[in-house]
Amino acid sequence: MAVVDAIQIDETGFRGHVVRPGDPDYDVQRKIWNGSFDRYPAVIVRCAGVSDVIAAVKLGRASDLPVAVRSGGHSFPGLSVADDALMIDLSPMKGVRVDPEKRTARVQAGVLLGELDRETQAFGLAVPSGIVTHTGVAGLTLGGGIGWIMRKHGLSIDQLVSVDLVTADGEFVKASADENADLFWGVRGGGGNFGIVTEFEFRCVPLGTQVLAGPVFWPMQQSAEVLRFYRDWVAEAPDELMTIVIHRKAPPLPFVPEELHGKPVVMVICCWVGDVEEGEKFIRPLKEFGSPVADLCLPKPYLTHQAMFDPSFVPGRWYYFKSCDVAELSDEIIDITVERSLQISSPLTSFPIWQMGGAVGRVGEDETAFNGRTAGFTYNIGASTEASEGFDEEREWVRSFWSALEPWHEGVYVNFLGDEGAERVRQAYGPEKYDRLRALKQKYDPDNFFRINQNISPS
Ligand SMILES: Cc1cc2nc3c(=O)[nH]c(=O)nc-3n(C[C@H](O)[C@H](O)[C@H](O)COP(=O)(O)OP(=O)(O)OC[C@H]3O[C@@H](n4cnc5c(N)ncnc54)[C@H](O)[C@@H]3O)c2cc1C
């Protein structure tokens, strides 16, 4: 294993916490969300602020170690840690400052979604983000950021005002619509390819603190009819409504009726941001379709709904995902979905089908690097086991399900990509955007210093 000595670190001016193999907290700090990755970095530098990030980049240059950047540590393919690498860990950078008058939030790179929500909700505000509270704001935003309020308020990047960023040369720059606009275009979807973002500035949207939200359950055997009904019903949905469909064995959670525990179910989970009465009226036909075995779609605090999926995606379990966008839920796609879902073996496997559209689709395709604004639905086919036992079989199930949908693949959300190679990254952006991103990479990181990511190679 490559070694970085203390003097070398000292000379860069780094003053944060340094963790090396053998240190008592080495095993804690090298761990990321996906337990299927057990990687051993040469050294972990835990940054306390921007000057540490600048120092860490200099250390990367001086040591010649490959550099992995970690914020929330939720990369599906484990791209925030690597063997024998310098791991630049931003998770100690936890500052959030909401300005309730200006309706903006300044958010440091180590902040998790739940931590951001807590601060914005103190003022009845929100920043569009994702659906699991322990995900990192940084990685999520840099890839786009899809979540419960996106159909009304857009992606996370659609409310991004500016970023502070440390380049591959260790330079501190800002990017916004008025300053380094090319870079600002690139960081809104282009991931960590252009530098380390130390702080994000978002516009907050007025939301209040309550939403009408939660799952309606049917037995999975009825999924074909439920999905056909759902597809037609949701086609008329206003932007206030966002839905996710889940197929899984019902988890033994307090909010799930006990008689369903372990039984295969299909759930349509709603989140209505707007007038509750109007929402109840719109959602009623769904609740009255067939004979749901449980209906937990009720007015509740937004913070409660944002945390709903936390118990399903516990850190440390083994996970594997493959994703694709489809234009619509055709009969063929529904039939494949039902057939494959009935084969789910692990009680932990739970995969979302995301309803896209609304405000996401009203931003011009070229305005940001994010690709896929016209997607109808996003399949995030994922499997999970407690540890290695049964993992290979679940992974095979994911791959085979994904392949069965191949004739209808339209694109893929870059944050839902696995370790699938350069051509898949190109597909995620499409050829024109990818070329534009490569030119930007050539300008900001010609040596591909930041390459442990969904990599865009310099042109
Ligand atoms: C349980 C779970 C739920 C999820 N839910 C959603 C969801 O609802 N919506 C959605 O859009 N996505 C979702 N995702 C996907 C998520 O957006 C990505 O996995 C994202 O990369 C996670 O960001 P992170 O900071 O936690 O990850 P990390 O693993 O820390 O980083 C991910 C990537 O971003 C780079 N990176 C991280 N921080 C920085 C930085 N400050 N500057 C530059 N580059 C950086 C890393 O190098 C790495 O390549 C989910 C993922 C998980 C595991």
Side-chain angles (χ1 to χ4, degrees), residues 33 68-76 79-80 90 109 113 129-132 134-140 142 144-147 191-192 195-198 200 313 354 413 415-416 452-454:
W33 169 81
V69 179
R70 180 217 154 102
S71 285
H74 273 46
S75 156
F76 289 144
L79 292 171
S80 28
L90 306 164
L113 306 190
S129 67
I131 61 167
V132 175
H134 43 73
T135 315
V137 170
L140 178 131
L142 291 168
I146 65 177
I196 300 180
V197 173
T198 54
F200 298 81
F313 296 98
W354 297 68
Y413 173 31
N415 269 352
F416 288 172
I452 303 178
N453 46 34
Q454 297 297 355

Side-chain angles (χ1 to χ4, degrees), residues 232-243:
D232 299 339
W233 168 74
V234 92
E236 306 297 323
D239 295 351
E240 280 72 18
L241 182 73
M242 157 68 192
T243 57

